[in-house]
Amino acid sequence: DITERKATEEEVRRLAFYDTLTHLPNRRLLVDRLQQAIASSVRSGKQVAVLFIDLDNFKILNDTLGHGIGDLLLQQVAKRLEHCVREGDTVARLGGDEFVVILEDLSGEVFEGARQVEIIGEKIHAELVRPYDLDGHQTNSTPSIGITLLTDRETTFEELMKRADMAMYQAKGAGRNTLRFFDPEMQAAVAARTALEGDLREGLK
């Protein structure tokens, strides 16, 4: 009977690769998943995107309501993120209030891929700004989301993460509670297309 040994091995693996609070992949597993996604992208020509998500003013919530309530928020955020992505995508927790989403199999055309990412990013944003019930405490939280796409096949894990992190800080600098692309040209193109679609809807009315 090797049941106990198997259970022990599974527990060791869980502790090594998964966050104990949210049960999402941790940084160690994230590195492996993103490296696999990069390799797959090089073979298929499909794009990969990384979304870096930071919860605005999380420290204030922790300091005012306590770490237990903060942990409940992180667990609920993790569940909402998992509901927003497709099968095959990855949601991970880096630590603290920082989460990373890897989106795979996006369009090989740069701006079409960016548009696909924006749609998912907006879906994530809409989910995360919905009110939270944290053990009887009704509270709100907003995210700042940074986005980068793998446009250069030579880009490393570290570089992708750095770009997504920088884009997240651009979102913070823009007033928080929003999303920003690392590439200014891509940001401008997506914003222009969104504005055009809004104008078309108004024109149809």
Side-chain angles (χ1 to χ4, degrees):
D1 185 3
I2 60 171
T3 305
E4 187 175 340
R5 193 185 81 194
K6 286 290 186 184
T8 301
E9 289 174 354
E10 183 58 32
E11 179 67 9
V12 169
R13 182 181 180 278
R14 189 180 64 80
L15 291 173
F17 294 107
Y18 290 87
D19 174 59
T20 54
L21 178 66
T22 63
H23 307 300
L24 295 176
N26 60 18
R27 181 183 179 86
R28 188 174 176 182
L29 184 53
L30 173 67
V31 172
D32 183 63
R33 293 268 180 92
L34 186 49
Q35 288 174 337
Q36 287 183 29
I38 292 171
S40 175
S41 174
V42 171
R43 289 193 303 270
S44 68
K46 297 289 186 73
Q47 288 193 92
V48 172
V50 176
L51 287 74
F52 197 113
I53 301 162
D54 182 272
L55 303 182
D56 300 326
N57 302 315
F58 178 73
K59 186 178 185 302
I60 295 175
L61 181 140
N62 249 351
D63 291 344
T64 54
L65 298 180
H67 290 279
I69 297 298
D71 285 350
L72 287 177
L73 175 63
L74 294 173
Q75 289 171 333
Q76 290 193 26
V77 166
K79 286 186 171 63
R80 292 187 187 189
L81 286 173
E82 287 184 307
H83 289 149
C84 288
V85 300
R86 307 156 303 170
E87 187 176 353
D89 295 330
T90 296
V91 178
R93 182 186 176 211
L94 275 188
D97 61 329
E98 295 178 337
F99 296 84
V100 172
V101 175
I102 302 172
L103 302 177
E104 299 190 55
D105 290 327
L106 301 169
S107 170
E109 197 278 312
V110 174
F111 290 109
E112 179 58 31
R115 180 62 177 150
Q116 291 174 328
V117 178
E118 188 201 25
I119 291 170
I120 298 172
E122 293 288 2
K123 181 180 178 182
I124 287 173
H125 179 267
E127 271 296 302
L128 296 190
V129 299
R130 287 194 301 106
Y132 295 84
D133 183 352
L134 306 174
D135 198 22
H137 295 276
Q138 297 292 324
T139 189
N140 292 287
S141 179
T142 61
S144 291
I145 305 173
I147 302 171
T148 189
L149 279 85
L150 178 66
T151 53
D152 178 1
R153 305 305 175 194
E154 302 301 317
T155 305
T156 63
F157 165 84
E158 291 80 7
E159 184 62 28
L160 271 179
M161 292 297 294
K162 180 181 175 183
R163 291 177 184 177
D165 186 45
M166 290 171 67
M168 184 273 291
Y169 277 105
Q170 289 173 16
K172 294 272 189 192
R176 308 185 184 208
N177 190 23
T178 189
L179 56 86
R180 284 290 182 273
F181 282 84
F182 170 76
D183 184 341
E185 184 183 349
M186 197 173 291
Q187 176 67 42
V190 169
R193 180 166 175 171
T194 301
L196 175 61
E197 289 174 352
D199 290 344
L200 288 170
R201 279 193 293 272
E202 286 302 309
L204 286 171
K205 287 180 184 176

